[in-house]
Amino acid sequence: MKRILSIFIIITMIISSMPVLAEDDWENIFADFENFDIADAEEGDGIDVAPTPIVVNETYYDVDDSISDNKITKENEIKIEKLLSEMTLEEKVSMCHANSKFASNGVERLNISELTMMDGPHGVRSDVERDSWRCLNREEDKCTYLPTETALAATFDPKLARKFGETLGAEARYRGKDIILGPGVNIIRTPLCGRNFEYMSEDPCVIEKMAPELVKGIESQDTAACVKHYCLNNQEYDRGRVNVEVSDRALHEIYLRGFYAAVIG
């Protein structure tokens, strides 16, 4: 146990001693990647010139370009307002919380269906029983196992993030999900966080560039994206009860930037 703890301390010291790039430096990196084509890479460029390709659009289910950038129409807004006016307070409240592991209440008398969701963020999770974590093992529960978000962010390629999101959104929609629980945009602050593989980076500038395109890709397929997990969820131990003390400046300049970028886009 002491040896394991020593290894973690050493890793933490190494990470904390790494130089942090200024925002202008990240802008230059992303600018370089805008016109970069891996097909033109040569020996000495610092990358593998014959990498295993990452396939994002040859999926089980086709990406539907016809519904890209969906907008809420005036007709739908009128319909929504009419339904709201017909709902009781109890019915409205019932829709604000879950009725099973991955669904919230609908209103049957008004033909409002349940709102269904499923875990991401790098593939659509297999369906589970309504009130337990037991997998249903359905034949149609297929999905593309996409690279983790840490691997995606390491490409510094927002265009690839968009394609990643399109694939995730299309497969969630095929599976009948209204919402995919992703992307994860928390800061990788410590190697002890058990969810680090679901997050993009320790640098808010990288997340700020990648997350919005990923969200746009998901939502172009008529699937809603739900960024996660709670802000400041940066450690695993006692994560459900820990009291995080952080300055307002650090909160807004580091930890909230990915969430803000993902929502504002």
Side-chain angles (χ1 to χ4, degrees):
M1 185 66 186
K2 290 182 178 179
R3 179 175 295 180
I4 294 174
L5 183 58
S6 297
I7 292 172
F8 276 128
I9 291 173
I10 292 170
I11 293 173
T12 303
M13 291 174 66
I14 292 172
I15 292 175
S16 63
S17 65
M18 290 179 177
V20 178
L21 294 180
E23 188 162 353
D24 288 345
D25 296 324
W26 282 124
E27 292 288 349
N28 292 333
I29 290 174
F30 278 101
D32 290 340
F33 272 83
E34 279 293 316
N35 300 314
F36 177 77
D37 188 342
I38 199 166
D40 298 329
E42 299 178 356
E43 294 288 349
D45 283 345
I47 62 170
D48 184 352
V49 297
T52 302
I54 298 174
V55 180
V56 292
N57 276 345
E58 292 180 15
T59 61
Y60 291 106
Y61 325 110
D62 293 332
V63 169
D64 188 350
D65 294 326
S66 67
I67 58 175
S68 181
D69 298 322
N70 255 347
K71 304 293 184 183
I72 296 178
T73 64
K74 186 67 176 177
E75 181 181 353
N76 284 337
E77 286 184 343
I78 293 173
K79 183 178 179 181
I80 291 169
E81 291 298 326
K82 184 176 184 298
L83 287 171
L84 285 172
S85 68
E86 295 175 2
M87 290 172 64
T88 66
L89 178 60
E90 290 76 12
E91 287 170 338
K92 292 176 181 177
V93 171
S94 74
M95 293 186 70
C96 294
H97 56 81
N99 64 4
S100 63
K101 290 291 186 184
F102 289 102
S104 60
N105 278 313
V107 181
E108 187 174 357
R109 72 177 185 87
L110 295 176
N111 200 30
I112 299 174
S113 59
E114 290 183 331
L115 189 69
T116 60
M117 59 204 76
M118 187 48 68
D119 270 334
H122 47 270
V124 187
R125 179 180 183 149
S126 296
D127 280 338
V128 298
E129 293 181 352
R130 288 184 67 86
D131 297 312
S132 80
W133 293 108
R134 186 177 300 158
C135 182
L136 292 176
N137 293 314
R138 290 174 174 162
E139 180 64 27
E140 64 271 22
D141 275 1
K142 295 182 174 68
C143 74
T144 302
Y145 199 127
L146 296 162
T148 63
E149 286 192 17
T150 307
L152 174 64
T155 67
F156 300 100
D157 188 348
K159 293 178 182 176
L160 186 60
R162 177 72 178 242
K163 293 179 180 179
F164 184 109
E166 288 172 354
T167 299
L168 190 58
E171 296 188 358
R173 176 49 59 194
Y174 171 86
R175 293 266 301 279
K177 310 306 177 187
D178 300 302
I179 304 172
I180 189 74
L181 303 181
V185 298
N186 286 84
I187 292 291
I188 301 177
R189 185 180 64 81
T190 166
L192 300 178
C193 180
R195 297 295 186 95
N196 278 347
F197 70 99
E198 294 186 352
Y199 302 147
M200 293 183 180
S201 176
E202 75 284 1
D203 195 299
C205 295
V206 176
I207 302 171
E208 200 171 42
K209 290 287 187 179
M210 301 291 283
E213 291 305 312
L214 204 162
V215 169
K216 289 174 184 175
I218 292 172
E219 298 192 342
S220 74
Q221 301 304 303
D222 200 30
T223 302
C226 177
V227 292
K228 62 179 189 181
H229 297 86
Y230 295 109
C231 186
L232 302 174
N233 179 58
N234 304 106
Q235 71 178 52
E236 198 65 19
Y237 178 72
D238 211 18
R239 65 188 174 96
R241 296 181 297 172
V242 65
N243 178 27
V244 180
E245 298 181 5
V246 60
S247 69
D248 283 348
R249 180 174 180 180
L251 178 64
H252 289 276
E253 292 187 4
I254 300 174
Y255 297 99
L256 277 174
R257 281 180 66 175
F259 288 90
Y260 183 85
V263 173
I264 301 301

Short mmCIF file of all heavy atoms in Angstrom, two decimals, residues 7-65:
data_model
loop_
_atom_site.label_atom_id
_atom_site.label_comp_id
_atom_site.label_asym_id
_atom_site.label_seq_id
_atom_site.Cartn_x
_atom_site.Cartn_y
_atom_site.Cartn_z
N ILE A 7 3.91 5.83 -5.53
CA ILE A 7 3.83 5.97 -6.98
C ILE A 7 2.87 7.10 -7.36
O ILE A 7 3.15 7.94 -8.21
CB ILE A 7 3.38 4.64 -7.64
CG1 ILE A 7 4.49 3.59 -7.47
CG2 ILE A 7 3.05 4.84 -9.12
CD1 ILE A 7 4.06 2.20 -7.91
N PHE A 8 1.70 7.14 -6.69
CA PHE A 8 0.73 8.19 -6.97
C PHE A 8 1.29 9.57 -6.63
O PHE A 8 1.05 10.54 -7.34
CB PHE A 8 -0.56 7.94 -6.18
CG PHE A 8 -1.51 7.00 -6.85
CD1 PHE A 8 -2.01 5.90 -6.17
CD2 PHE A 8 -1.90 7.20 -8.17
CE1 PHE A 8 -2.87 5.02 -6.79
CE2 PHE A 8 -2.78 6.32 -8.79
CZ PHE A 8 -3.25 5.22 -8.10
N ILE A 9 2.02 9.66 -5.54
CA ILE A 9 2.61 10.95 -5.14
C ILE A 9 3.61 11.40 -6.20
O ILE A 9 3.65 12.58 -6.59
CB ILE A 9 3.29 10.82 -3.76
CG1 ILE A 9 2.23 10.64 -2.67
CG2 ILE A 9 4.14 12.07 -3.47
CD1 ILE A 9 2.81 10.34 -1.31
N ILE A 10 4.43 10.47 -6.69
CA ILE A 10 5.42 10.81 -7.73
C ILE A 10 4.73 11.28 -9.00
O ILE A 10 5.12 12.28 -9.62
CB ILE A 10 6.32 9.58 -8.02
CG1 ILE A 10 7.21 9.29 -6.81
CG2 ILE A 10 7.18 9.83 -9.26
CD1 ILE A 10 7.96 7.98 -6.90
N ILE A 11 3.66 10.54 -9.40
CA ILE A 11 2.91 10.94 -10.61
C ILE A 11 2.33 12.33 -10.45
O ILE A 11 2.40 13.17 -11.37
CB ILE A 11 1.79 9.92 -10.91
CG1 ILE A 11 2.39 8.57 -11.31
CG2 ILE A 11 0.87 10.44 -12.03
CD1 ILE A 11 1.35 7.47 -11.45
N THR A 12 1.75 12.60 -9.29
CA THR A 12 1.16 13.91 -9.01
C THR A 12 2.22 15.01 -9.09
O THR A 12 1.98 16.09 -9.64
CB THR A 12 0.50 13.92 -7.63
OG1 THR A 12 -0.48 12.89 -7.57
CG2 THR A 12 -0.19 15.25 -7.37
N MET A 13 3.41 14.73 -8.54
CA MET A 13 4.49 15.72 -8.58
C MET A 13 4.94 15.99 -10.00
O MET A 13 5.22 17.14 -10.38
CB MET A 13 5.67 15.22 -7.73
CG MET A 13 5.40 15.19 -6.23
SD MET A 13 6.75 14.44 -5.29
CE MET A 13 8.05 15.64 -5.60
N ILE A 14 5.00 14.94 -10.82
CA ILE A 14 5.41 15.11 -12.22
C ILE A 14 4.41 15.97 -12.96
O ILE A 14 4.77 16.91 -13.69
CB ILE A 14 5.57 13.73 -12.91
CG1 ILE A 14 6.76 12.97 -12.31
CG2 ILE A 14 5.76 13.91 -14.42
CD1 ILE A 14 6.87 11.54 -12.79
N ILE A 15 3.10 15.65 -12.79
CA ILE A 15 2.05 16.41 -13.48
C ILE A 15 2.06 17.87 -13.05
O ILE A 15 1.94 18.79 -13.86
CB ILE A 15 0.67 15.77 -13.23
CG1 ILE A 15 0.60 14.40 -13.92
CG2 ILE A 15 -0.45 16.67 -13.73
CD1 ILE A 15 -0.67 13.64 -13.63
N SER A 16 2.20 18.10 -11.73
CA SER A 16 2.16 19.47 -11.22
C SER A 16 3.36 20.29 -11.67
O SER A 16 3.31 21.52 -11.68
CB SER A 16 2.07 19.46 -9.69
OG SER A 16 3.24 18.86 -9.14
N SER A 17 4.45 19.60 -12.05
CA SER A 17 5.65 20.33 -12.48
C SER A 17 5.67 20.60 -13.97
O SER A 17 6.54 21.28 -14.47
CB SER A 17 6.91 19.53 -12.09
OG SER A 17 6.96 18.30 -12.80
N MET A 18 4.70 20.03 -14.70
CA MET A 18 4.66 20.24 -16.15
C MET A 18 4.32 21.69 -16.47
O MET A 18 3.49 22.29 -15.78
CB MET A 18 3.62 19.31 -16.80
CG MET A 18 4.00 17.85 -16.80
SD MET A 18 2.70 16.84 -17.56
CE MET A 18 3.48 15.23 -17.49
N PRO A 19 4.92 22.25 -17.51
CA PRO A 19 4.60 23.64 -17.86
C PRO A 19 3.18 23.77 -18.37
O PRO A 19 2.68 22.90 -19.08
CB PRO A 19 5.61 23.96 -18.98
CG PRO A 19 5.97 22.62 -19.56
CD PRO A 19 5.92 21.66 -18.40
N VAL A 20 2.49 24.83 -17.99
CA VAL A 20 1.13 25.10 -18.45
C VAL A 20 1.20 26.11 -19.58
O VAL A 20 1.76 27.20 -19.42
CB VAL A 20 0.26 25.65 -17.30
CG1 VAL A 20 -1.13 25.97 -17.81
CG2 VAL A 20 0.19 24.64 -16.15
N LEU A 21 0.63 25.73 -20.73
CA LEU A 21 0.67 26.63 -21.87
C LEU A 21 -0.32 27.77 -21.70
O LEU A 21 -1.40 27.59 -21.16
CB LEU A 21 0.32 25.86 -23.15
CG LEU A 21 1.32 24.77 -23.59
CD1 LEU A 21 0.83 24.13 -24.87
CD2 LEU A 21 2.71 25.36 -23.81
N ALA A 22 0.10 28.94 -22.17
CA ALA A 22 -0.80 30.09 -22.15
C ALA A 22 -1.89 29.90 -23.20
O ALA A 22 -1.76 29.09 -24.12
CB ALA A 22 -0.01 31.37 -22.43
N GLU A 23 -2.97 30.66 -23.08
CA GLU A 23 -4.10 30.51 -24.01
C GLU A 23 -3.67 30.79 -25.44
O GLU A 23 -4.12 30.12 -26.37
CB GLU A 23 -5.23 31.44 -23.59
CG GLU A 23 -6.50 31.20 -24.37
CD GLU A 23 -7.72 31.79 -23.67
OE1 GLU A 23 -7.58 32.26 -22.53
OE2 GLU A 23 -8.78 31.77 -24.29
N ASP A 24 -2.79 31.77 -25.65
CA ASP A 24 -2.31 32.07 -27.00
C ASP A 24 -1.56 30.89 -27.60
O ASP A 24 -1.63 30.64 -28.81
CB ASP A 24 -1.40 33.30 -26.99
CG ASP A 24 -2.19 34.58 -26.74
OD1 ASP A 24 -3.43 34.54 -26.87
OD2 ASP A 24 -1.57 35.61 -26.40
N ASP A 25 -0.85 30.14 -26.75
CA ASP A 25 -0.12 28.97 -27.24
C ASP A 25 -1.09 27.91 -27.75
O ASP A 25 -0.86 27.28 -28.78
CB ASP A 25 0.76 28.38 -26.13
CG ASP A 25 1.85 29.34 -25.69
OD1 ASP A 25 2.37 30.05 -26.56
OD2 ASP A 25 2.18 29.36 -24.49
N TRP A 26 -2.19 27.71 -27.02
CA TRP A 26 -3.19 26.74 -27.45
C TRP A 26 -3.84 27.19 -28.75
O TRP A 26 -4.13 26.37 -29.63
CB TRP A 26 -4.26 26.55 -26.38
CG TRP A 26 -3.83 25.67 -25.24
CD1 TRP A 26 -3.83 25.98 -23.92
CD2 TRP A 26 -3.36 24.33 -25.32
NE1 TRP A 26 -3.38 24.92 -23.18
CE2 TRP A 26 -3.09 23.90 -24.00
CE3 TRP A 26 -3.13 23.44 -26.38
CZ2 TRP A 26 -2.61 22.63 -23.73
CZ3 TRP A 26 -2.67 22.18 -26.10
CH2 TRP A 26 -2.40 21.78 -24.80
N GLU A 27 -4.09 28.48 -28.88
CA GLU A 27 -4.68 28.99 -30.12
C GLU A 27 -3.78 28.65 -31.31
O GLU A 27 -4.26 28.27 -32.37
CB GLU A 27 -4.87 30.51 -30.03
CG GLU A 27 -5.92 30.96 -29.03
CD GLU A 27 -7.33 30.66 -29.51
OE1 GLU A 27 -7.51 30.30 -30.68
OE2 GLU A 27 -8.26 30.77 -28.68
N ASN A 28 -2.46 28.78 -31.13
CA ASN A 28 -1.52 28.47 -32.20
C ASN A 28 -1.54 26.98 -32.53
O ASN A 28 -1.45 26.58 -33.70
CB ASN A 28 -0.10 28.90 -31.80
CG ASN A 28 0.03 30.40 -31.71
OD1 ASN A 28 -0.70 31.13 -32.37
ND2 ASN A 28 0.96 30.88 -30.89
N ILE A 29 -1.65 26.14 -31.50
CA ILE A 29 -1.69 24.69 -31.72
C ILE A 29 -2.92 24.31 -32.54
O ILE A 29 -2.84 23.57 -33.52
CB ILE A 29 -1.67 23.93 -30.38
CG1 ILE A 29 -0.29 24.06 -29.73
CG2 ILE A 29 -2.02 22.45 -30.59
CD1 ILE A 29 -0.21 23.46 -28.34
N PHE A 30 -4.08 24.85 -32.15
CA PHE A 30 -5.31 24.53 -32.87
C PHE A 30 -5.27 25.09 -34.29
O PHE A 30 -5.77 24.47 -35.22
CB PHE A 30 -6.53 25.07 -32.12
CG PHE A 30 -6.98 24.18 -31.00
CD1 PHE A 30 -6.65 24.47 -29.68
CD2 PHE A 30 -7.72 23.04 -31.26
CE1 PHE A 30 -7.06 23.64 -28.65
CE2 PHE A 30 -8.13 22.20 -30.25
CZ PHE A 30 -7.80 22.50 -28.93
N ALA A 31 -4.64 26.24 -34.46
CA ALA A 31 -4.51 26.82 -35.79
C ALA A 31 -3.67 25.92 -36.69
O ALA A 31 -3.96 25.73 -37.87
CB ALA A 31 -3.89 28.21 -35.70
N ASP A 32 -2.61 25.34 -36.12
CA ASP A 32 -1.75 24.42 -36.88
C ASP A 32 -2.53 23.19 -37.33
O ASP A 32 -2.32 22.67 -38.43
CB ASP A 32 -0.54 23.99 -36.04
CG ASP A 32 0.45 25.13 -35.82
OD1 ASP A 32 0.40 26.10 -36.61
OD2 ASP A 32 1.25 25.05 -34.88
N PHE A 33 -3.43 22.71 -36.49
CA PHE A 33 -4.17 21.50 -36.82
C PHE A 33 -5.31 21.75 -37.78
O PHE A 33 -5.83 20.81 -38.37
CB PHE A 33 -4.71 20.85 -35.53
CG PHE A 33 -3.74 19.90 -34.91
CD1 PHE A 33 -2.72 20.36 -34.08
CD2 PHE A 33 -3.83 18.54 -35.16
CE1 PHE A 33 -1.82 19.48 -33.51
CE2 PHE A 33 -2.93 17.66 -34.59
CZ PHE A 33 -1.92 18.12 -33.76
N GLU A 34 -5.73 23.01 -37.94
CA GLU A 34 -6.84 23.31 -38.83
C GLU A 34 -6.56 22.81 -40.25
O GLU A 34 -7.43 22.28 -40.92
CB GLU A 34 -7.10 24.82 -38.86
CG GLU A 34 -7.91 25.34 -37.70
CD GLU A 34 -9.33 24.82 -37.71
OE1 GLU A 34 -9.95 24.82 -38.78
OE2 GLU A 34 -9.82 24.39 -36.65
N ASN A 35 -5.32 23.01 -40.73
CA ASN A 35 -4.98 22.65 -42.10
C ASN A 35 -4.09 21.41 -42.17
O ASN A 35 -3.49 21.12 -43.20
CB ASN A 35 -4.27 23.82 -42.78
CG ASN A 35 -5.13 25.06 -42.83
OD1 ASN A 35 -6.31 24.98 -43.19
ND2 ASN A 35 -4.57 26.21 -42.47
N PHE A 36 -4.02 20.67 -41.06
CA PHE A 36 -3.15 19.50 -41.03
C PHE A 36 -3.88 18.28 -41.55
O PHE A 36 -5.01 18.01 -41.19
CB PHE A 36 -2.68 19.23 -39.60
CG PHE A 36 -1.82 18.00 -39.47
CD1 PHE A 36 -0.50 18.03 -39.86
CD2 PHE A 36 -2.35 16.82 -38.97
CE1 PHE A 36 0.29 16.90 -39.75
CE2 PHE A 36 -1.56 15.69 -38.86
CZ PHE A 36 -0.24 15.73 -39.25
N ASP A 37 -3.26 17.55 -42.46
CA ASP A 37 -3.81 16.31 -42.99
C ASP A 37 -2.81 15.21 -42.71
O ASP A 37 -1.66 15.26 -43.17
CB ASP A 37 -4.06 16.44 -44.50
CG ASP A 37 -4.81 15.24 -45.06
OD1 ASP A 37 -4.84 14.18 -44.38
OD2 ASP A 37 -5.36 15.35 -46.17
N ILE A 38 -3.24 14.20 -41.96
CA ILE A 38 -2.31 13.14 -41.57
C ILE A 38 -1.76 12.40 -42.79
O ILE A 38 -0.69 11.82 -42.74
CB ILE A 38 -2.99 12.16 -40.60
CG1 ILE A 38 -1.94 11.35 -39.84
CG2 ILE A 38 -3.98 11.25 -41.31
CD1 ILE A 38 -2.48 10.61 -38.64
N ALA A 39 -2.49 12.47 -43.91
CA ALA A 39 -2.02 11.82 -45.13
C ALA A 39 -0.75 12.48 -45.67
O ALA A 39 0.02 11.86 -46.41
CB ALA A 39 -3.11 11.85 -46.19
N ASP A 40 -0.51 13.74 -45.30
CA ASP A 40 0.67 14.46 -45.77
C ASP A 40 1.84 14.38 -44.81
O ASP A 40 2.89 14.98 -45.03
CB ASP A 40 0.32 15.95 -45.97
CG ASP A 40 -0.76 16.13 -47.03
OD1 ASP A 40 -0.81 15.30 -47.96
OD2 ASP A 40 -1.54 17.09 -46.92
N ALA A 41 1.65 13.63 -43.70
CA ALA A 41 2.72 13.55 -42.69
C ALA A 41 3.94 12.84 -43.24
O ALA A 41 3.86 11.95 -44.08
CB ALA A 41 2.20 12.81 -41.46
N GLU A 42 5.09 13.26 -42.76
CA GLU A 42 6.35 12.66 -43.16
C GLU A 42 7.13 12.23 -41.94
O GLU A 42 6.86 12.66 -40.82
CB GLU A 42 7.18 13.67 -43.97
CG GLU A 42 6.49 14.13 -45.26
CD GLU A 42 7.32 15.17 -45.99
OE1 GLU A 42 8.37 15.58 -45.45
OE2 GLU A 42 6.92 15.57 -47.10
N GLU A 43 8.11 11.36 -42.16
CA GLU A 43 8.98 10.96 -41.06
C GLU A 43 9.62 12.21 -40.44
O GLU A 43 10.05 13.11 -41.14
CB GLU A 43 10.09 10.02 -41.56
CG GLU A 43 9.58 8.67 -42.07
CD GLU A 43 9.12 7.77 -40.92
OE1 GLU A 43 9.39 8.13 -39.77
OE2 GLU A 43 8.51 6.72 -41.21
N GLY A 44 9.66 12.24 -39.13
CA GLY A 44 10.28 13.37 -38.45
C GLY A 44 9.27 14.40 -37.99
O GLY A 44 9.62 15.37 -37.34
N ASP A 45 7.98 14.20 -38.34
CA ASP A 45 6.95 15.14 -37.90
C ASP A 45 6.55 14.93 -36.45
O ASP A 45 5.74 15.67 -35.90
CB ASP A 45 5.69 15.00 -38.77
CG ASP A 45 5.87 15.66 -40.13
OD1 ASP A 45 6.82 16.45 -40.26
OD2 ASP A 45 5.08 15.38 -41.04
N GLY A 46 7.07 13.88 -35.83
CA GLY A 46 6.76 13.64 -34.43
C GLY A 46 5.51 12.81 -34.23
O GLY A 46 4.99 12.72 -33.13
N ILE A 47 4.98 12.21 -35.31
CA ILE A 47 3.81 11.35 -35.19
C ILE A 47 4.05 10.07 -35.98
O ILE A 47 4.95 9.99 -36.82
CB ILE A 47 2.53 12.02 -35.72
CG1 ILE A 47 2.69 12.32 -37.23
CG2 ILE A 47 2.20 13.26 -34.95
CD1 ILE A 47 1.40 12.74 -37.85
N ASP A 48 3.25 9.06 -35.71
CA ASP A 48 3.29 7.83 -36.47
C ASP A 48 2.68 8.11 -37.84
O ASP A 48 1.52 8.50 -37.94
CB ASP A 48 2.48 6.76 -35.72
CG ASP A 48 2.55 5.41 -36.41
OD1 ASP A 48 3.09 5.35 -37.53
OD2 ASP A 48 2.07 4.43 -35.80
N VAL A 49 3.47 7.93 -38.92
CA VAL A 49 2.96 8.28 -40.24
C VAL A 49 2.03 7.22 -40.81
O VAL A 49 1.41 7.43 -41.84
CB VAL A 49 4.13 8.51 -41.24
CG1 VAL A 49 4.97 9.67 -40.78
CG2 VAL A 49 4.97 7.24 -41.40
N ALA A 50 1.92 6.08 -40.13
CA ALA A 50 0.99 5.05 -40.60
C ALA A 50 0.16 4.54 -39.43
O ALA A 50 0.24 3.38 -39.05
CB ALA A 50 1.75 3.91 -41.25
N PRO A 51 -0.61 5.44 -38.82
CA PRO A 51 -1.36 5.04 -37.63
C PRO A 51 -2.56 4.18 -37.98
O PRO A 51 -3.01 4.16 -39.13
CB PRO A 51 -1.83 6.38 -37.05
CG PRO A 51 -2.00 7.24 -38.27
CD PRO A 51 -0.90 6.82 -39.22
N THR A 52 -3.09 3.48 -36.99
CA THR A 52 -4.35 2.78 -37.17
C THR A 52 -5.46 3.82 -37.27
O THR A 52 -5.61 4.64 -36.37
CB THR A 52 -4.62 1.84 -35.99
OG1 THR A 52 -3.53 0.93 -35.88
CG2 THR A 52 -5.93 1.08 -36.20
N PRO A 53 -6.21 3.85 -38.36
CA PRO A 53 -7.22 4.91 -38.51
C PRO A 53 -8.33 4.80 -37.49
O PRO A 53 -8.71 3.70 -37.08
CB PRO A 53 -7.75 4.67 -39.93
CG PRO A 53 -7.49 3.22 -40.19
CD PRO A 53 -6.21 2.90 -39.47
N ILE A 54 -8.83 5.95 -37.05
CA ILE A 54 -10.00 6.00 -36.18
C ILE A 54 -11.22 6.20 -37.07
O ILE A 54 -11.35 7.20 -37.75
CB ILE A 54 -9.90 7.16 -35.17
CG1 ILE A 54 -8.69 6.95 -34.27
CG2 ILE A 54 -11.17 7.27 -34.34
CD1 ILE A 54 -8.43 8.13 -33.35
N VAL A 55 -12.09 5.20 -37.12
CA VAL A 55 -13.28 5.27 -37.96
C VAL A 55 -14.43 5.80 -37.12
O VAL A 55 -14.77 5.21 -36.11
CB VAL A 55 -13.63 3.89 -38.55
CG1 VAL A 55 -14.87 3.98 -39.42
CG2 VAL A 55 -12.44 3.35 -39.36
N VAL A 56 -15.01 6.93 -37.54
CA VAL A 56 -16.09 7.51 -36.75
C VAL A 56 -17.43 7.50 -37.45
O VAL A 56 -18.47 7.56 -36.80
CB VAL A 56 -15.76 8.96 -36.33
CG1 VAL A 56 -14.63 8.98 -35.34
CG2 VAL A 56 -15.44 9.81 -37.54
N ASN A 57 -17.45 7.42 -38.77
CA ASN A 57 -18.73 7.48 -39.45
C ASN A 57 -19.16 6.16 -40.08
O ASN A 57 -20.28 6.01 -40.53
CB ASN A 57 -18.73 8.57 -40.52
CG ASN A 57 -19.05 9.92 -39.92
OD1 ASN A 57 -19.53 9.99 -38.80
ND2 ASN A 57 -18.78 10.99 -40.65
N GLU A 58 -18.27 5.16 -40.15
CA GLU A 58 -18.67 3.85 -40.63
C GLU A 58 -19.19 3.07 -39.42
O GLU A 58 -18.53 2.21 -38.88
CB GLU A 58 -17.48 3.14 -41.28
CG GLU A 58 -17.05 3.80 -42.59
CD GLU A 58 -15.88 3.08 -43.23
OE1 GLU A 58 -15.61 1.93 -42.83
OE2 GLU A 58 -15.25 3.65 -44.12
N THR A 59 -20.39 3.42 -39.01
CA THR A 59 -20.97 2.89 -37.78
C THR A 59 -22.08 1.91 -38.10
O THR A 59 -22.41 1.67 -39.26
CB THR A 59 -21.54 4.04 -36.94
OG1 THR A 59 -22.56 4.68 -37.71
CG2 THR A 59 -20.49 5.06 -36.57
N TYR A 60 -22.67 1.35 -37.06
CA TYR A 60 -23.82 0.48 -37.26
C TYR A 60 -24.99 1.27 -37.85
O TYR A 60 -25.83 0.72 -38.53
CB TYR A 60 -24.27 -0.12 -35.92
CG TYR A 60 -23.31 -1.13 -35.35
CD1 TYR A 60 -22.51 -0.80 -34.26
CD2 TYR A 60 -23.21 -2.40 -35.88
CE1 TYR A 60 -21.64 -1.73 -33.72
CE2 TYR A 60 -22.34 -3.34 -35.35
CZ TYR A 60 -21.56 -3.01 -34.27
OH TYR A 60 -20.70 -3.92 -33.74
N TYR A 61 -25.04 2.55 -37.55
CA TYR A 61 -26.19 3.36 -37.93
C TYR A 61 -25.70 4.62 -38.63
O TYR A 61 -24.75 5.25 -38.20
CB TYR A 61 -27.02 3.73 -36.69
CG TYR A 61 -27.01 2.61 -35.68
CD1 TYR A 61 -26.34 2.75 -34.47
CD2 TYR A 61 -27.63 1.40 -35.95
CE1 TYR A 61 -26.31 1.72 -33.56
CE2 TYR A 61 -27.60 0.36 -35.05
CZ TYR A 61 -26.93 0.52 -33.85
OH TYR A 61 -26.88 -0.51 -32.96
N ASP A 62 -26.36 4.99 -39.72
CA ASP A 62 -25.90 6.11 -40.52
C ASP A 62 -26.14 7.44 -39.82
O ASP A 62 -27.17 7.64 -39.18
CB ASP A 62 -26.62 6.13 -41.87
CG ASP A 62 -26.22 4.95 -42.74
OD1 ASP A 62 -25.10 4.46 -42.56
OD2 ASP A 62 -27.04 4.52 -43.56
N VAL A 63 -25.19 8.35 -39.97
CA VAL A 63 -25.38 9.72 -39.53
C VAL A 63 -26.34 10.40 -40.49
O VAL A 63 -26.19 10.30 -41.71
CB VAL A 63 -24.03 10.47 -39.50
CG1 VAL A 63 -24.25 11.96 -39.31
CG2 VAL A 63 -23.13 9.91 -38.41
N ASP A 64 -27.34 11.07 -39.97
CA ASP A 64 -28.37 11.71 -40.79
C ASP A 64 -28.05 13.19 -40.93
O ASP A 64 -28.26 13.97 -40.02
CB ASP A 64 -29.75 11.52 -40.15
CG ASP A 64 -30.88 11.99 -41.07
OD1 ASP A 64 -30.57 12.63 -42.10
OD2 ASP A 64 -32.04 11.74 -40.74
N ASP A 65 -27.53 13.58 -42.10
CA ASP A 65 -27.18 14.98 -42.33
C ASP A 65 -28.41 15.85 -42.54
O ASP A 65 -28.33 17.07 -42.44
CB ASP A 65 -26.25 15.10 -43.55
CG ASP A 65 -24.91 14.46 -43.31
OD1 ASP A 65 -24.43 14.51 -42.16
OD2 ASP A 65 -24.33 13.88 -44.25
#
